[in-house]
Amino acid sequence: SRSSDFSEFLKSLRKPSSQLIQNRCLSFIESLQGRRDLTVEQQSDHVQDFYQSMATHFTDFTGYPSDRSDKMMDNIEKMIMTQLYKSVFCPDTSDDEQKDLLIQKRIRMLHWVTAEMLRTPLCEEQSEVNDNILSAITAIIEMDSKRAPQDKLSCISRCSNYIFKAIQVSRSSPATADDFLSSLIYVVLKANPPRLQSNIQYITRFCHPNRLMMGQAGYCFTNLCCAVTFIEKLDAPALNLTHEEFDQYMRGQR
């Protein structure tokens, strides 16, 4: 498991052969924490440059095979970002907090949107479907309690897996991309995850880029970003409603 991998990594740093890695990580953490003048974009650039230089170190100087190098980079990301989390998550220098409040309020106002309106295939009358939706909601809410970007991404992947299961049970066939996105939008509306924009920004800024560009985690994260954009722009035609009906729902008159 990833947590036992990380424990092993921390133990291995005590060995003389890993002294260089440990020293580089610790001095990087210290130098970034000492720079109070940086914007969050500059902090992000520094972290991404550090990932790049460490990845180069593993491939060019240690001759690690790519899977071992990827594992090392995962552990380095976790070590660094767990330490830096408080200084770089939702910083005062950004408008992340305002964006959080806006999307939270927007989702509250859309509490009336149903799975049918979003044309999801979800059949909520089935208890197994309902259980998977509740598990998906729990997973996405848990994202806010994690510190490392990869652990936040894992919550998004877990949420997505429950959604795929719910769709499969609902229709006895694999989910299409449209099925998945509409169901994810529904889950986000039901969950109203805390500090949603801050978490998305944090992952974008501080996750090792390999994770966001490939594989299931990257796919799920991209869809979450699309879901948030959809919710921000949601209007009557998107739900097959007239403008009058939409306004009535928004004013709580239906």
Side-chain angles (χ1 to χ4, degrees):
S1 81
R2 196 179 287 158
S3 58
S4 61
D5 265 1
F6 186 59
S7 309
E8 287 305 310
F9 167 75
L10 292 177
K11 268 187 221 156
S12 77
L13 288 182
R14 294 178 203 144
K15 295 178 189 161
S17 58
S18 302
Q19 210 59 58
L20 175 69
I21 296 170
Q22 185 178 24
N23 290 347
R24 282 185 71 175
C25 289
L26 292 176
S27 81
F28 176 73
I29 291 166
E30 220 170 277
S31 74
L32 204 65
Q33 282 176 330
R35 297 283 305 276
R36 297 277 173 216
D37 56 319
L38 298 178
T39 65
V40 71
E41 282 73 25
Q42 290 170 321
Q43 290 172 325
S44 168
D45 289 344
H46 281 294
V47 169
Q48 295 297 342
D49 288 347
F50 183 73
Y51 289 158
Q52 187 59 55
S53 76
M54 290 306 285
T56 305
H57 169 78
F58 291 131
T59 47
D60 295 0
F61 300 110
T62 55
Y64 282 1
S66 66
D67 59 336
R68 188 168 175 209
S69 169
D70 287 348
K71 226 173 215 169
M72 287 296 279
M73 287 311 303
D74 275 352
N75 287 322
I76 283 172
E77 178 203 285
K78 190 162 185 167
M79 178 186 175
I80 286 173
M81 294 318 302
T82 303
Q83 296 289 322
L84 290 175
Y85 180 77
K86 280 197 167 143
S87 2
V88 301
F89 183 87
C90 190
D92 296 339
T93 54
S94 74
D95 58 359
D96 294 354
E97 192 178 356
Q98 273 162 306
K99 287 180 178 169
D100 286 336
L101 295 172
L102 283 173
I103 192 76
Q104 193 178 51
K105 188 178 171 191
R106 174 81 175 152
I107 290 174
R108 274 200 205 115
M109 289 172 76
L110 293 167
H111 65 89
W112 48 268
V113 176
T114 64
E116 291 75 34
M117 286 175 181
L118 289 164
R119 298 188 279 289
T120 76
L122 299 170
C123 179
E124 289 180 282
E125 294 77 51
Q126 295 187 45
S127 62
E128 197 183 337
V129 173
N130 221 6
D131 290 348
N132 278 304
I133 292 171
L134 287 173
S135 298
I137 289 169
T138 304
I140 192 102
I141 286 172
E142 268 176 18
M143 169 173 67
D144 190 53
S145 66
K146 307 294 180 191
R147 286 187 163 210
Q150 60 193 265
D151 293 339
K152 289 184 183 290
L153 268 185
S154 292
C155 291
I156 299 169
S157 293
R158 274 210 335 277
C159 166
S160 303
N161 288 336
Y162 286 122
I163 291 171
F164 282 121
K165 279 185 204 162
I167 294 170
Q168 202 151 11
V169 175
S170 295
R171 63 186 306 172
S172 310
S173 63
T176 66
D178 285 347
D179 289 340
F180 173 61
L181 181 57
S182 62
S183 301
L184 178 60
I185 291 164
Y186 180 61
V187 164
V188 171
L189 286 174
K190 292 286 258 185
N192 201 351
R195 301 193 290 185
L196 182 55
Q197 293 281 20
S198 286
N199 279 294
I200 286 174
Q201 291 300 329
Y202 176 75
I203 292 168
T204 305
R205 291 168 187 149
F206 298 109
C207 194
H208 189 260
N210 278 5
R211 276 188 170 275
L212 286 186
M213 285 184 225
M214 56 185 71
Q216 195 207 0
Y219 174 78
C220 298
F221 182 69
T222 302
N223 273 277
L224 178 62
C225 297
C226 294
V228 171
T229 304
F230 180 89
I231 289 166
E232 286 170 336
K233 296 181 175 165
L234 186 62
D235 57 7
L239 298 173
N240 269 351
L241 297 172
T242 65
H243 289 292
E244 196 184 351
E245 286 168 334
F246 185 83
D247 289 344
Q248 285 173 341
Y249 273 118
M250 289 301 269
R251 288 199 300 267
Q253 291 170 347
R254 281 182 83 93

